[in-house]
Amino acid sequence: GVAAGVARRAQAVRARDPGRAGRGERVKAATMFSGIGAPETAMPEWDWLWHAEIEPFPSAVMAARHPGSINLGDVSAPDFAERAIDAGRPDVIVFGSPCQSFSVAGKRLGLDDARGNLALVALGVINKIRPHYFVFENVPGLISSAGGEDFRVLLETINEIGYYIDGDILDARFHGVPQRRRRVFLVCENADLGRKKRTSSYAATALNCLIDISLSCLAAHTKRFEADGIVLEPRGRYSP
């Protein structure tokens, strides 16, 4: 589902440069917090220039499966953006920063956790590289982290660095994967591409829509748990 959405936007990139499509040039892409390369596997027709992974095992997997992609290592390194530009400026960057800080299964420290702050570090990298598009993925718990404040900061930061946002919550079981795996996806477009500008309130509108979806799902699960005699205790920084 997400790969299809990015593919549609990649076609838009080609449409703005008809000569590029005629020359048979592939969309240039990269990933951060790359793991074992799910985006690379989903879109093998793209030219994956580089990735960023620090853990030994996934780094070894990427080296074996995507030898043409350069591992730039730690996203938080001071010279990361400069090295990324030297390795090749991509049209699309895909990343999902560590989700433990936002997951309802964790301590939910959100942006107060160094891992949660990596989302903002990655946006700093995006701001320096300025790809046409980037895709951000994380757990639905991101929306309610710190009473919605963390998600608001994320959306406002994306707008501040000059990107428009399209967002949705997708479940892997409806996209060919035999498991229930819900994730928030934000597909963000560089405002410099010249498309019709959205209002400054768009980030708030996207936030409200996603919060409504999250609260509806939470209410449904709460009723199911209560029917089984389970009481959900409030959690998080803003809990009474």
Side-chain angles (χ1 to χ4, degrees):
V2 176
V6 177
R8 287 194 295 270
R9 286 160 174 78
Q11 289 172 357
V13 173
R14 293 191 186 98
R16 292 186 180 89
D17 183 3
R20 177 182 184 181
R23 294 190 300 269
E25 293 185 17
R26 297 191 296 171
V27 171
K28 295 178 174 61
T31 58
M32 297 187 286
F33 316 106
S34 306
I36 59 173
E40 287 88 343
T41 301
M43 299 298 291
E45 63 269 34
W46 286 6
D47 184 9
W48 294 96
L49 303 175
W50 50 264
H51 61 281
E53 181 54 56
I54 61 173
E55 294 296 329
F57 177 75
S59 295
V61 172
M62 289 295 292
R65 294 183 178 177
H66 306 285
S69 176
I70 303 169
N71 187 359
L72 299 180
D74 190 354
V75 171
S76 63
D79 63 342
F80 180 87
E82 288 73 19
R83 288 188 289 112
I85 292 172
D86 288 342
R89 193 184 295 270
D91 302 312
V92 181
I93 296 178
V94 184
F95 69 97
S97 54
C99 63
Q100 294 93 334
S101 305
F102 306 114
S103 173
V104 294
K107 294 182 179 180
R108 307 210 71 190
L109 297 178
L111 294 178
D112 288 340
D113 188 322
R115 294 171 300 183
N117 258 320
L118 285 172
L120 299 182
V121 171
L123 290 180
V125 172
I126 293 291
N127 192 31
K128 292 178 179 179
I129 298 176
R130 309 297 300 172
H132 291 152
Y133 300 92
F134 72 87
V135 180
F136 173 79
E137 169 269 334
N138 218 289
V139 294
L142 167 64
I143 297 173
S144 57
S145 176
E149 180 68 11
D150 288 344
F151 194 49
R152 181 190 67 78
V153 169
L154 181 72
L155 293 179
E156 287 189 351
T157 302
I158 292 172
N159 273 174
E160 286 172 3
I161 65 174
Y163 281 81
Y164 302 139
I165 308 166
D166 283 321
D168 204 349
I169 297 178
L170 304 177
D171 193 328
R173 61 180 168 164
F174 301 122
H175 299 279
V177 179
Q179 61 172 285
R180 185 176 184 275
R181 193 177 185 86
R182 297 173 64 247
R183 291 293 184 268
V184 174
F185 288 92
L186 303 178
V187 179
C188 305
E189 178 185 22
N190 193 326
D192 297 337
L193 292 180
R195 285 183 58 177
K196 184 178 179 180
K197 293 184 178 179
R198 296 179 174 133
T199 65
S200 59
S201 63
Y202 183 76
T205 301
L207 170 62
N208 291 335
C209 289
L210 289 173
I211 285 178
D212 286 344
I213 295 170
S214 182
L215 290 177
S216 297
C217 293
L218 177 61
H221 285 298
T222 299
K223 289 181 180 179
R224 179 168 61 84
F225 288 138
E226 288 177 347
D228 293 335
I230 301 172
V231 178
L232 296 181
E233 294 295 334
R235 301 177 64 181
R237 197 184 311 170
Y238 290 90
S239 298

